[in-house]
Amino acid sequence: MNDSRTHTDTGAPRRVVVTGIGLVTALGEGTAATWEGLLAGRSGIAPLRGYDPAALRTRIGAQIEDFDPARYLSRRSLRMVCRGDQLGVAGAALALEDAGLTDGTGPGGGAELGYRTGLFLGGNKDMPRMDGLVDGVVRIRREDGTPDLGTLGRDASSILAPLFYVEGLQPAALFHISQKFGIRGANDFFAGTADASATAVGRAFRAIRRGECDITLAGGYDEPTSWWTMSKMDGLGVLTTRNDLGADACRPFDREHSGSVFGEGAALLVLEERERALARGARVYAEVDGFGGGTDCVRPPGTHPRARGLARAITRAVRDARRDTATDYIAAHGCATPQGDVSETHALHDALGTAAKAAQISSVKPQTGHLVGGAGALNAAVAALALHHGTVPATRGHAEPAAECDLDWVPGSPRDARPASALALARGLEGQAAALSMRADR
């Protein structure tokens, strides 16, 4: 692309559309595989593989089978990335391919997207691959089992490989995606849980609307089914312990809700200035027209009883879109914890008023698992796909609403509802919340 092209600011906010979606989930690799799996009612949740989860209270998750990172990364790059980063790069490549923006001219065979393209990512990474760390810990163990920190200080360079530190950088995927596709414009990385990737999409939307970029690649990724993350979260009370239910364990807004089930994956979206997209003949999934954020301001992992942060995020997103509260479809956070589901219901009532009762609302977490750092962007993708295809996915496993969860959670089967407006919601473990408003581009 021509990096020397400049943007002329006309003073009016520019319209932003979704022209590419790249999904990698336990339902399949690629957007079509995940979307078809959602509509078919399949779930990727199963017993955890790859390590012995016997010591954990939660021993199920949505893991991806047969993922080959060598399809997306060079051998040299593979030495410097964790599995989450690999998924992020794959999601980026799939999104750009879906948008028709990979012409094979850039570094690594990707498109040279240049200075007018931005990159905004969110994730929850806080640890590199464990094998190198475990090897190092074993090497500094004394005979009595205590660590010899003196040896670590003297010989760290030989005990831990130099790439261990590079691999552990939180925004590592930001570099690898930028390099692979020649993305040189505005960029940022947001650390957190579901709110992080939703905020990345919101920031990307604003970058185009304000004229910083013409195209942005945005979203998130995570590997929360890893031993490290599962061991961290196992005692917090946010995961279900109903391992016996398997694929039916995650039941958002249902009276049998008992907690989340994690799933690994990535969700990235290509956002583009609308006139530019139409001029090149791009397929448009939906228009993004608003973004808002808020926070509960309570001690994590608790939540405000009425999820005031989420209510504020929804209100701001709707106001940003300059529309009324009537919303046809809502991709809910729907984490399946009793406290989370009830407070999210209250937030929808508080933010949307009587319009909340008319909305069709569903959660895809019973099928993909909770992608944690990638969950917010996945909801944005689901909302865009629902608007594009005219079909609202169901909430798998929802049979009878829990007390106070008195809205339409789309039980049973997907609906051919032709929604014209949508909201994508995300809540973070730390109380932060984000909401994206979209509408059909018809």
Side-chain angles (χ1 to χ4, degrees):
M1 295 192 175
N2 184 4
D3 293 335
S4 64
R5 181 166 54 86
T6 58
H7 166 62
T8 302
D9 189 356
T10 62
R14 306 197 307 167
R15 294 174 66 181
V16 183
V17 294
V18 179
T19 58
I21 299 174
L23 302 179
V24 184
T25 72
L27 293 177
E29 191 170 323
T31 299
T34 293
W35 183 244
E36 290 166 6
L38 290 174
L39 298 187
R42 292 193 292 108
S43 175
I45 295 172
L48 290 170
R49 306 180 306 275
Y51 58 91
D52 184 357
L56 301 174
R57 293 190 296 178
T58 301
R59 298 184 291 276
I60 54 176
Q63 294 177 297
I64 299 169
E65 294 186 28
D66 303 323
F67 174 68
D68 181 10
R71 292 182 53 201
Y72 305 100
L73 287 152
S74 67
R75 183 178 300 177
R76 179 180 181 185
S77 294
L78 284 172
R79 296 173 55 208
M80 297 185 288
V81 292
C82 299
R83 182 171 174 86
D85 299 324
Q86 295 170 3
L87 295 170
V89 175
L94 292 167
L96 291 169
E97 180 181 18
D98 189 49
L101 292 173
T102 49
D103 59 11
T105 61
E112 178 68 38
L113 295 171
Y115 295 99
R116 295 293 300 167
T117 299
L119 177 60
F120 301 90
L121 300 177
N124 191 45
K125 175 181 174 182
D126 61 2
M127 178 64 68
R129 282 177 288 193
M130 294 294 296
D131 47 2
L133 179 61
V134 171
D135 289 343
V137 169
V138 170
R139 289 181 61 182
I140 65 168
R141 181 181 182 273
R142 295 191 182 99
E143 290 186 6
D144 63 0
T146 60
D148 184 350
L149 298 183
T151 297
L152 178 63
R154 290 191 304 271
D155 303 328
S157 61
S158 62
I159 292 173
L160 296 175
L163 292 180
F164 175 83
Y165 302 102
V166 176
E167 179 187 296
L169 294 172
Q170 279 192 311
L174 198 73
F175 161 73
H176 291 284
I177 294 171
S178 296
Q179 182 191 51
K180 182 176 178 65
F181 298 106
I183 298 175
R184 306 180 187 181
N187 64 91
D188 208 344
F189 179 83
F190 301 89
T193 50
D195 58 292
S197 57
T199 299
V201 177
R203 175 66 179 87
F205 155 68
R206 287 178 174 170
I208 295 176
R209 187 167 68 172
R210 295 170 178 173
E212 288 181 82
C213 304
D214 298 320
I215 302 171
T216 55
L217 179 61
Y221 49 90
D222 211 339
E223 50 169 333
T225 55
S226 67
W227 177 86
W228 173 255
T229 303
M230 289 296 297
S231 64
K232 283 194 310 177
M233 302 297 292
D234 200 51
L236 292 183
V238 298
L239 299 178
T240 182
T241 57
R242 294 299 309 273
N243 302 295
D244 56 304
L245 294 178
D248 296 320
C250 182
R251 305 181 69 169
F253 307 107
D254 189 82
R255 70 173 185 172
E256 298 297 329
H257 53 184
S258 58
S260 288
V261 177
F262 283 164
E264 60 180 349
L268 280 89
L269 292 79
V270 174
L271 306 186
E272 195 166 349
E273 192 274 320
R274 186 173 184 272
E275 294 305 314
R276 185 193 185 285
L278 295 179
R280 71 178 184 88
R283 172 190 50 211
V284 173
Y285 286 104
E287 180 175 354
V288 184
D289 58 4
F291 170 63
T295 183
D296 282 350
C297 289
V298 297
R299 186 186 301 276
T303 182
H304 185 268
R306 302 196 72 86
R308 59 189 176 191
L310 180 62
R312 192 171 297 114
I314 295 169
T315 298
R316 289 174 173 170
V318 170
R319 288 178 180 172
D320 194 32
R322 299 181 181 180
R323 66 174 177 88
D324 59 31
T325 56
T327 304
D328 296 327
Y329 174 61
I330 300 174
H333 182 66
C335 63
T337 65
Q339 186 181 37
D341 287 352
V342 171
S343 61
E344 183 170 2
T345 304
H346 287 317
L348 289 167
H349 279 293
D350 292 346
L352 301 179
T354 57
K357 282 284 190 180
Q360 300 174 91
I361 312 165
S362 65
S363 170
V364 300
K365 288 180 176 62
Q367 298 179 259
T368 63
H370 189 327
L371 266 59
V372 189
L378 177 59
N379 273 358
V382 168
L385 288 164
L387 292 169
H388 178 67
H389 292 290
T391 304
V392 170
T395 302
R396 188 183 189 276
H398 183 84
E400 185 174 339
E404 301 183 70
C405 294
D406 58 350
L407 298 175
D408 179 4
W409 307 115
V410 194
S413 304
R415 298 176 187 168
D416 292 326
R418 292 191 62 79
S421 59
L423 285 167
L425 310 182
R427 303 177 71 182
L429 184 69
E430 66 285 359
Q432 291 178 298
L436 291 152
S437 173
M438 297 185 185
R439 61 183 177 185
D441 191 79
R442 298 186 180 124

